[in-house]
Short mmCIF file of all heavy atoms in Angstrom, two decimals:
data_model
loop_
_atom_site.label_atom_id
_atom_site.label_comp_id
_atom_site.label_asym_id
_atom_site.label_seq_id
_atom_site.Cartn_x
_atom_site.Cartn_y
_atom_site.Cartn_z
N ASP Q 50 -19.45 -47.15 -19.45
CA ASP Q 50 -18.41 -47.88 -18.74
C ASP Q 50 -19.19 -49.04 -17.96
O ASP Q 50 -18.61 -50.23 -17.95
CB ASP Q 50 -17.82 -46.99 -17.67
CG ASP Q 50 -16.69 -46.10 -18.22
OD1 ASP Q 50 -16.35 -46.33 -19.50
OD2 ASP Q 50 -16.35 -45.20 -17.64
N SER Q 51 -20.35 -48.89 -17.43
CA SER Q 51 -21.00 -49.79 -16.70
C SER Q 51 -21.39 -51.03 -17.57
O SER Q 51 -21.31 -52.21 -17.11
CB SER Q 51 -22.19 -49.35 -16.07
OG SER Q 51 -21.89 -48.37 -15.17
N VAL Q 52 -21.87 -50.82 -18.80
CA VAL Q 52 -22.36 -51.84 -19.71
C VAL Q 52 -21.03 -52.73 -19.99
O VAL Q 52 -21.11 -53.96 -20.02
CB VAL Q 52 -22.87 -51.34 -20.98
CG1 VAL Q 52 -23.00 -52.35 -22.11
CG2 VAL Q 52 -24.26 -50.59 -20.75
N GLY Q 53 -19.90 -52.15 -20.15
CA GLY Q 53 -18.70 -52.97 -20.39
C GLY Q 53 -18.22 -53.81 -19.23
O GLY Q 53 -17.38 -54.65 -19.36
N THR Q 54 -18.68 -53.48 -18.11
CA THR Q 54 -18.14 -54.06 -16.89
C THR Q 54 -19.38 -54.87 -16.08
O THR Q 54 -19.19 -55.03 -14.93
CB THR Q 54 -17.48 -53.10 -15.89
OG1 THR Q 54 -18.44 -52.12 -15.58
CG2 THR Q 54 -16.33 -52.58 -16.57
N LEU Q 55 -20.31 -55.35 -16.82
CA LEU Q 55 -21.45 -55.94 -16.15
C LEU Q 55 -21.05 -57.21 -15.50
O LEU Q 55 -21.66 -57.69 -14.49
CB LEU Q 55 -22.59 -56.23 -17.10
CG LEU Q 55 -23.47 -55.00 -17.47
CD1 LEU Q 55 -24.56 -55.36 -18.60
CD2 LEU Q 55 -24.07 -54.44 -16.29
N VAL Q 56 -20.13 -57.89 -16.03
CA VAL Q 56 -19.69 -59.13 -15.45
C VAL Q 56 -19.00 -59.06 -14.06
O VAL Q 56 -19.32 -59.77 -13.11
CB VAL Q 56 -18.60 -59.89 -16.51
CG1 VAL Q 56 -18.09 -61.12 -15.75
CG2 VAL Q 56 -19.33 -60.18 -17.70
N ASP Q 57 -18.16 -57.92 -14.01
CA ASP Q 57 -17.54 -57.78 -12.75
C ASP Q 57 -17.45 -56.25 -12.40
O ASP Q 57 -16.53 -55.51 -12.49
CB ASP Q 57 -16.16 -58.20 -12.65
CG ASP Q 57 -15.43 -58.23 -11.43
OD1 ASP Q 57 -16.03 -57.88 -10.33
OD2 ASP Q 57 -14.21 -58.48 -11.30
N PRO Q 58 -18.69 -55.60 -11.91
CA PRO Q 58 -18.84 -54.16 -11.75
C PRO Q 58 -17.92 -53.62 -10.65
O PRO Q 58 -17.57 -52.41 -10.53
CB PRO Q 58 -20.18 -53.89 -11.60
CG PRO Q 58 -20.80 -55.21 -11.16
CD PRO Q 58 -19.93 -56.26 -11.80
N ASP Q 59 -17.57 -54.49 -9.64
CA ASP Q 59 -16.72 -54.10 -8.49
C ASP Q 59 -15.34 -54.25 -8.83
O ASP Q 59 -14.49 -53.97 -7.90
CB ASP Q 59 -17.16 -54.95 -7.33
CG ASP Q 59 -18.52 -54.56 -6.91
OD1 ASP Q 59 -18.97 -53.42 -7.08
OD2 ASP Q 59 -19.28 -55.53 -6.42
N SER Q 60 -14.78 -54.61 -9.95
CA SER Q 60 -13.45 -54.79 -10.25
C SER Q 60 -12.70 -53.38 -10.11
O SER Q 60 -13.25 -52.35 -10.33
CB SER Q 60 -13.17 -55.33 -11.59
OG SER Q 60 -13.41 -54.44 -12.56
N SER Q 61 -11.47 -53.42 -9.78
CA SER Q 61 -10.68 -52.26 -9.51
C SER Q 61 -10.53 -51.64 -10.76
O SER Q 61 -10.50 -50.21 -10.97
CB SER Q 61 -9.34 -52.45 -8.92
OG SER Q 61 -8.60 -53.27 -9.69
N ALA Q 62 -10.35 -52.21 -11.95
CA ALA Q 62 -10.36 -51.58 -13.34
C ALA Q 62 -11.57 -50.83 -13.66
O ALA Q 62 -11.46 -49.74 -14.10
CB ALA Q 62 -9.98 -52.74 -14.29
N ALA Q 63 -12.68 -51.34 -13.34
CA ALA Q 63 -13.99 -50.71 -13.62
C ALA Q 63 -14.09 -49.44 -12.69
O ALA Q 63 -14.53 -48.42 -13.13
CB ALA Q 63 -15.13 -51.65 -13.33
N GLN Q 64 -13.77 -49.54 -11.49
CA GLN Q 64 -13.85 -48.37 -10.58
C GLN Q 64 -12.82 -47.38 -10.98
O GLN Q 64 -13.13 -46.24 -10.87
CB GLN Q 64 -13.57 -48.92 -9.04
CG GLN Q 64 -14.71 -49.79 -8.55
CD GLN Q 64 -16.09 -49.07 -8.47
OE1 GLN Q 64 -16.21 -47.95 -8.18
NE2 GLN Q 64 -17.04 -49.79 -8.96
N ASN Q 65 -11.61 -47.78 -11.39
CA ASN Q 65 -10.64 -46.73 -11.67
C ASN Q 65 -11.11 -45.94 -13.06
O ASN Q 65 -10.94 -44.75 -13.18
CB ASN Q 65 -9.18 -47.34 -12.18
CG ASN Q 65 -8.61 -47.85 -10.82
OD1 ASN Q 65 -9.00 -47.34 -9.67
ND2 ASN Q 65 -7.68 -48.71 -10.80
N ALA Q 66 -11.70 -46.81 -14.07
CA ALA Q 66 -12.19 -46.16 -15.32
C ALA Q 66 -13.24 -45.13 -14.97
O ALA Q 66 -13.38 -44.04 -15.49
CB ALA Q 66 -12.67 -47.29 -16.18
N LEU Q 67 -14.15 -45.50 -14.03
CA LEU Q 67 -15.25 -44.61 -13.64
C LEU Q 67 -14.88 -43.27 -13.05
O LEU Q 67 -15.24 -42.27 -13.30
CB LEU Q 67 -16.22 -45.43 -12.77
CG LEU Q 67 -17.53 -44.71 -12.35
CD1 LEU Q 67 -18.31 -44.29 -13.48
CD2 LEU Q 67 -18.31 -45.60 -11.37
N GLN Q 68 -13.87 -43.56 -12.04
CA GLN Q 68 -13.23 -42.48 -11.28
C GLN Q 68 -12.53 -41.49 -12.29
O GLN Q 68 -12.69 -40.29 -12.24
CB GLN Q 68 -12.34 -42.86 -10.28
CG GLN Q 68 -11.80 -41.81 -9.38
CD GLN Q 68 -12.72 -41.03 -8.66
OE1 GLN Q 68 -13.84 -41.66 -8.27
NE2 GLN Q 68 -12.52 -39.75 -8.42
N HIS Q 69 -11.79 -42.16 -13.31
CA HIS Q 69 -11.10 -41.25 -14.19
C HIS Q 69 -12.12 -40.48 -15.08
O HIS Q 69 -11.94 -39.27 -15.36
CB HIS Q 69 -10.30 -42.14 -15.19
CG HIS Q 69 -9.62 -41.39 -16.31
ND1 HIS Q 69 -8.66 -40.53 -16.08
CD2 HIS Q 69 -9.81 -41.42 -17.61
CE1 HIS Q 69 -8.20 -40.05 -17.27
NE2 HIS Q 69 -8.98 -40.51 -18.24
N ARG Q 70 -13.26 -41.08 -15.64
CA ARG Q 70 -14.16 -40.42 -16.41
C ARG Q 70 -14.84 -39.27 -15.51
O ARG Q 70 -15.07 -38.13 -16.06
CB ARG Q 70 -15.34 -41.36 -16.76
CG ARG Q 70 -14.95 -42.29 -17.72
CD ARG Q 70 -15.72 -42.08 -19.07
NE ARG Q 70 -15.62 -43.11 -19.99
CZ ARG Q 70 -15.43 -42.87 -21.25
NH1 ARG Q 70 -15.71 -41.65 -21.73
NH2 ARG Q 70 -15.29 -43.78 -22.17
N ARG Q 71 -15.12 -39.41 -14.34
CA ARG Q 71 -15.66 -38.46 -13.42
C ARG Q 71 -14.67 -37.18 -13.32
O ARG Q 71 -15.12 -36.05 -13.29
CB ARG Q 71 -15.94 -38.99 -12.09
CG ARG Q 71 -17.28 -39.77 -12.06
CD ARG Q 71 -17.54 -40.36 -10.69
NE ARG Q 71 -18.71 -41.19 -10.52
CZ ARG Q 71 -18.95 -42.04 -9.83
NH1 ARG Q 71 -18.07 -42.27 -8.82
NH2 ARG Q 71 -20.10 -42.74 -9.87
N GLN Q 72 -13.46 -37.49 -13.14
CA GLN Q 72 -12.50 -36.61 -13.00
C GLN Q 72 -12.22 -35.69 -14.24
O GLN Q 72 -12.17 -34.43 -14.14
CB GLN Q 72 -11.10 -37.10 -12.55
CG GLN Q 72 -10.06 -36.10 -12.24
CD GLN Q 72 -10.58 -35.11 -11.14
OE1 GLN Q 72 -11.11 -35.53 -10.07
NE2 GLN Q 72 -10.34 -33.78 -11.20
N VAL Q 73 -12.20 -36.35 -15.37
CA VAL Q 73 -12.24 -35.70 -16.64
C VAL Q 73 -13.37 -34.81 -16.95
O VAL Q 73 -13.25 -33.70 -17.21
CB VAL Q 73 -12.02 -36.67 -17.81
CG1 VAL Q 73 -12.14 -35.98 -19.17
CG2 VAL Q 73 -10.72 -37.46 -17.71
N ALA Q 74 -14.60 -35.18 -16.59
CA ALA Q 74 -15.82 -34.44 -16.79
C ALA Q 74 -15.75 -33.20 -15.75
O ALA Q 74 -16.06 -32.18 -16.22
CB ALA Q 74 -17.10 -35.34 -16.40
N TYR Q 75 -15.33 -33.44 -14.58
CA TYR Q 75 -15.18 -32.35 -13.49
C TYR Q 75 -14.22 -31.30 -14.01
O TYR Q 75 -14.55 -30.10 -14.06
CB TYR Q 75 -14.80 -32.87 -12.20
CG TYR Q 75 -14.73 -31.83 -11.11
CD1 TYR Q 75 -15.80 -31.30 -10.61
CD2 TYR Q 75 -13.47 -31.12 -10.95
CE1 TYR Q 75 -15.81 -30.19 -9.57
CE2 TYR Q 75 -13.47 -30.11 -9.99
CZ TYR Q 75 -14.60 -29.66 -9.37
OH TYR Q 75 -14.51 -28.58 -8.47
N SER Q 76 -12.96 -31.69 -14.51
CA SER Q 76 -11.95 -30.73 -14.84
C SER Q 76 -12.43 -29.99 -16.16
O SER Q 76 -12.26 -28.89 -16.17
CB SER Q 76 -10.72 -31.63 -15.22
OG SER Q 76 -10.17 -32.22 -14.11
N ARG Q 77 -13.10 -30.65 -17.06
CA ARG Q 77 -13.52 -29.98 -18.30
C ARG Q 77 -14.62 -29.01 -17.92
O ARG Q 77 -14.58 -27.86 -18.45
CB ARG Q 77 -14.03 -31.12 -19.24
CG ARG Q 77 -14.58 -30.48 -20.61
CD ARG Q 77 -14.96 -31.58 -21.55
NE ARG Q 77 -15.89 -32.60 -20.92
CZ ARG Q 77 -17.25 -32.39 -20.91
NH1 ARG Q 77 -17.70 -31.38 -21.42
NH2 ARG Q 77 -17.95 -33.25 -20.41
N SER Q 78 -15.50 -29.34 -17.04
CA SER Q 78 -16.54 -28.36 -16.69
C SER Q 78 -16.05 -27.24 -15.83
O SER Q 78 -16.39 -26.05 -16.04
CB SER Q 78 -17.44 -29.09 -15.78
OG SER Q 78 -18.23 -30.13 -16.41
N GLN Q 79 -15.09 -27.39 -14.99
CA GLN Q 79 -14.35 -26.32 -14.15
C GLN Q 79 -13.65 -25.47 -15.14
O GLN Q 79 -13.74 -24.23 -14.83
CB GLN Q 79 -13.45 -26.92 -13.08
CG GLN Q 79 -12.96 -25.89 -12.22
CD GLN Q 79 -14.08 -25.21 -11.28
OE1 GLN Q 79 -14.76 -25.81 -10.66
NE2 GLN Q 79 -14.18 -23.87 -11.41
N ALA Q 80 -12.93 -25.94 -16.10
CA ALA Q 80 -12.25 -25.13 -17.09
C ALA Q 80 -13.27 -24.13 -17.79
O ALA Q 80 -12.91 -23.02 -18.02
CB ALA Q 80 -11.42 -25.92 -18.11
N LEU Q 81 -14.36 -24.75 -18.28
CA LEU Q 81 -15.40 -24.00 -19.06
C LEU Q 81 -15.93 -22.81 -18.04
O LEU Q 81 -16.03 -21.63 -18.46
CB LEU Q 81 -16.55 -24.75 -19.44
CG LEU Q 81 -17.70 -24.10 -20.02
CD1 LEU Q 81 -17.38 -23.42 -21.25
CD2 LEU Q 81 -18.91 -25.21 -20.47
N ILE Q 82 -16.29 -23.27 -16.81
CA ILE Q 82 -16.88 -22.21 -15.95
C ILE Q 82 -15.82 -21.17 -15.57
O ILE Q 82 -16.24 -20.04 -15.47
CB ILE Q 82 -17.32 -22.94 -14.56
CG1 ILE Q 82 -18.44 -24.10 -14.93
CG2 ILE Q 82 -17.79 -22.02 -13.49
CD1 ILE Q 82 -19.72 -23.51 -15.58
N ASP Q 83 -14.63 -21.56 -15.30
CA ASP Q 83 -13.53 -20.44 -15.01
C ASP Q 83 -13.32 -19.59 -16.30
O ASP Q 83 -13.15 -18.36 -16.05
CB ASP Q 83 -12.28 -21.23 -14.72
CG ASP Q 83 -12.21 -21.90 -13.34
OD1 ASP Q 83 -13.04 -21.73 -12.51
OD2 ASP Q 83 -11.34 -22.73 -13.07
N GLU Q 84 -13.37 -20.18 -17.46
CA GLU Q 84 -13.32 -19.18 -18.70
C GLU Q 84 -14.48 -18.23 -18.63
O GLU Q 84 -14.26 -17.04 -19.02
CB GLU Q 84 -13.34 -20.16 -19.91
CG GLU Q 84 -13.18 -19.44 -21.28
CD GLU Q 84 -13.20 -20.46 -22.37
OE1 GLU Q 84 -12.42 -21.34 -22.23
OE2 GLU Q 84 -13.97 -20.05 -23.37
N LEU Q 85 -15.72 -18.67 -18.46
CA LEU Q 85 -16.85 -17.86 -18.40
C LEU Q 85 -16.71 -16.76 -17.42
O LEU Q 85 -17.11 -15.57 -17.57
CB LEU Q 85 -18.04 -18.56 -18.29
CG LEU Q 85 -18.56 -19.54 -19.50
CD1 LEU Q 85 -19.80 -20.25 -19.17
CD2 LEU Q 85 -18.73 -18.72 -20.78
N ALA Q 86 -16.28 -17.15 -16.17
CA ALA Q 86 -16.12 -16.23 -15.07
C ALA Q 86 -15.14 -15.14 -15.41
O ALA Q 86 -15.36 -13.86 -15.21
CB ALA Q 86 -15.67 -16.87 -13.76
N GLN Q 87 -14.02 -15.52 -16.14
CA GLN Q 87 -13.07 -14.46 -16.44
C GLN Q 87 -13.63 -13.53 -17.35
O GLN Q 87 -13.32 -12.33 -17.47
CB GLN Q 87 -11.79 -15.35 -16.98
CG GLN Q 87 -10.69 -14.21 -17.34
CD GLN Q 87 -10.15 -13.45 -16.17
OE1 GLN Q 87 -10.37 -13.81 -15.04
NE2 GLN Q 87 -9.66 -12.24 -16.30
N GLU Q 88 -14.39 -14.07 -18.53
CA GLU Q 88 -15.05 -13.17 -19.38
C GLU Q 88 -16.08 -12.23 -18.74
O GLU Q 88 -15.97 -11.07 -19.00
CB GLU Q 88 -15.88 -14.07 -20.42
CG GLU Q 88 -16.55 -13.35 -21.45
CD GLU Q 88 -17.26 -14.15 -22.47
OE1 GLU Q 88 -17.01 -15.42 -22.50
OE2 GLU Q 88 -18.15 -13.57 -23.03
N ALA Q 89 -16.78 -12.64 -17.80
CA ALA Q 89 -17.69 -11.77 -17.06
C ALA Q 89 -16.99 -10.71 -16.21
O ALA Q 89 -17.16 -9.42 -16.27
CB ALA Q 89 -18.64 -12.52 -16.07
N ARG Q 90 -15.79 -11.01 -15.66
CA ARG Q 90 -14.91 -10.11 -14.87
C ARG Q 90 -14.34 -9.05 -15.83
O ARG Q 90 -14.44 -7.80 -15.46
CB ARG Q 90 -13.78 -10.83 -14.25
CG ARG Q 90 -14.25 -11.67 -12.97
CD ARG Q 90 -13.06 -12.29 -12.38
NE ARG Q 90 -13.52 -13.27 -11.34
CZ ARG Q 90 -13.51 -14.52 -11.42
NH1 ARG Q 90 -12.90 -15.10 -12.53
NH2 ARG Q 90 -13.96 -15.31 -10.51
N VAL Q 91 -13.88 -9.48 -16.96
CA VAL Q 91 -13.28 -8.52 -17.96
C VAL Q 91 -14.37 -7.65 -18.72
O VAL Q 91 -14.23 -6.41 -18.70
CB VAL Q 91 -12.41 -9.27 -18.94
CG1 VAL Q 91 -12.02 -8.43 -20.04
CG2 VAL Q 91 -11.33 -9.95 -18.23
N ARG Q 92 -15.48 -8.26 -19.22
CA ARG Q 92 -16.44 -7.55 -19.93
C ARG Q 92 -17.28 -6.56 -19.18
O ARG Q 92 -17.64 -5.50 -19.52
CB ARG Q 92 -17.31 -8.50 -20.77
CG ARG Q 92 -16.66 -9.11 -21.99
CD ARG Q 92 -17.52 -9.81 -22.86
NE ARG Q 92 -18.89 -9.55 -22.93
CZ ARG Q 92 -19.91 -10.19 -23.30
NH1 ARG Q 92 -19.64 -11.58 -23.57
NH2 ARG Q 92 -21.02 -9.90 -23.39
N VAL Q 93 -17.71 -7.08 -17.93
CA VAL Q 93 -18.77 -6.36 -17.10
C VAL Q 93 -18.10 -5.83 -15.87
O VAL Q 93 -18.59 -4.84 -15.26
CB VAL Q 93 -19.93 -7.24 -16.88
CG1 VAL Q 93 -21.02 -6.55 -16.09
CG2 VAL Q 93 -20.44 -7.88 -18.10
N GLY Q 94 -17.06 -6.45 -15.41
CA GLY Q 94 -16.29 -5.98 -14.13
C GLY Q 94 -17.11 -6.19 -12.93
O GLY Q 94 -17.15 -5.42 -11.97
N ILE Q 95 -17.64 -7.35 -12.89
CA ILE Q 95 -18.41 -7.77 -11.63
C ILE Q 95 -17.89 -8.88 -10.94
O ILE Q 95 -17.00 -9.44 -11.32
CB ILE Q 95 -19.93 -8.23 -12.17
CG1 ILE Q 95 -19.94 -9.46 -13.02
CG2 ILE Q 95 -20.78 -7.05 -12.78
CD1 ILE Q 95 -21.23 -9.98 -13.50
N THR Q 96 -18.44 -9.07 -9.82
CA THR Q 96 -17.83 -10.18 -8.74
C THR Q 96 -18.49 -11.48 -9.26
O THR Q 96 -19.72 -11.48 -9.47
CB THR Q 96 -18.38 -9.79 -7.33
OG1 THR Q 96 -17.78 -8.55 -6.89
CG2 THR Q 96 -17.88 -10.92 -6.44
N VAL Q 97 -17.70 -12.36 -9.34
CA VAL Q 97 -18.14 -13.71 -10.01
C VAL Q 97 -17.69 -14.81 -9.08
O VAL Q 97 -16.46 -14.85 -8.72
CB VAL Q 97 -17.59 -13.85 -11.43
CG1 VAL Q 97 -18.12 -15.26 -11.91
CG2 VAL Q 97 -17.94 -12.70 -12.37
N GLN Q 98 -18.55 -15.73 -8.83
CA GLN Q 98 -18.25 -16.99 -8.13
C GLN Q 98 -18.59 -18.07 -9.02
O GLN Q 98 -19.45 -17.92 -9.92
CB GLN Q 98 -18.97 -17.05 -6.89
CG GLN Q 98 -18.55 -16.05 -5.73
CD GLN Q 98 -19.44 -16.14 -4.49
OE1 GLN Q 98 -20.50 -15.53 -4.39
NE2 GLN Q 98 -19.06 -17.05 -3.57
N THR Q 99 -17.93 -19.26 -8.75
CA THR Q 99 -18.23 -20.51 -9.54
C THR Q 99 -18.53 -21.68 -8.69
O THR Q 99 -18.05 -21.72 -7.54
CB THR Q 99 -17.06 -20.81 -10.51
OG1 THR Q 99 -15.91 -21.21 -9.81
CG2 THR Q 99 -16.64 -19.56 -11.58
N SER Q 100 -19.24 -22.48 -9.17
CA SER Q 100 -19.55 -23.77 -8.52
C SER Q 100 -19.64 -24.89 -9.50
O SER Q 100 -20.52 -24.88 -10.44
CB SER Q 100 -20.78 -23.66 -7.71
OG SER Q 100 -21.17 -24.83 -7.17
N VAL Q 101 -19.09 -25.97 -9.31
CA VAL Q 101 -19.12 -27.18 -10.10
C VAL Q 101 -19.45 -28.23 -9.15
O VAL Q 101 -18.53 -28.60 -8.30
CB VAL Q 101 -18.02 -27.55 -11.07
CG1 VAL Q 101 -18.24 -28.86 -11.84
CG2 VAL Q 101 -17.77 -26.50 -12.05
#
Side-chain angles (χ1 to χ4, degrees):
D50 282 346
S51 296
V52 168
T54 57
L55 285 177
V56 176
D57 189 10
D59 294 327
S60 75
S61 61
Q64 293 301 316
N65 288 341
L67 185 59
Q68 184 61 31
H69 176 72
R70 288 244 188 217
R71 286 180 179 153
Q72 187 57 45
V73 167
Y75 179 85
S76 297
R77 186 176 47 87
S78 299
Q79 188 64 58
L81 172 63
I82 298 299
D83 289 345
E84 182 181 313
L85 294 174
Q87 185 58 28
E88 181 181 340
R90 288 181 189 107
V91 170
R92 282 184 39 202
V93 187
I95 57 176
T96 303
V97 182
Q98 293 175 271
T99 64
S100 175
V101 177

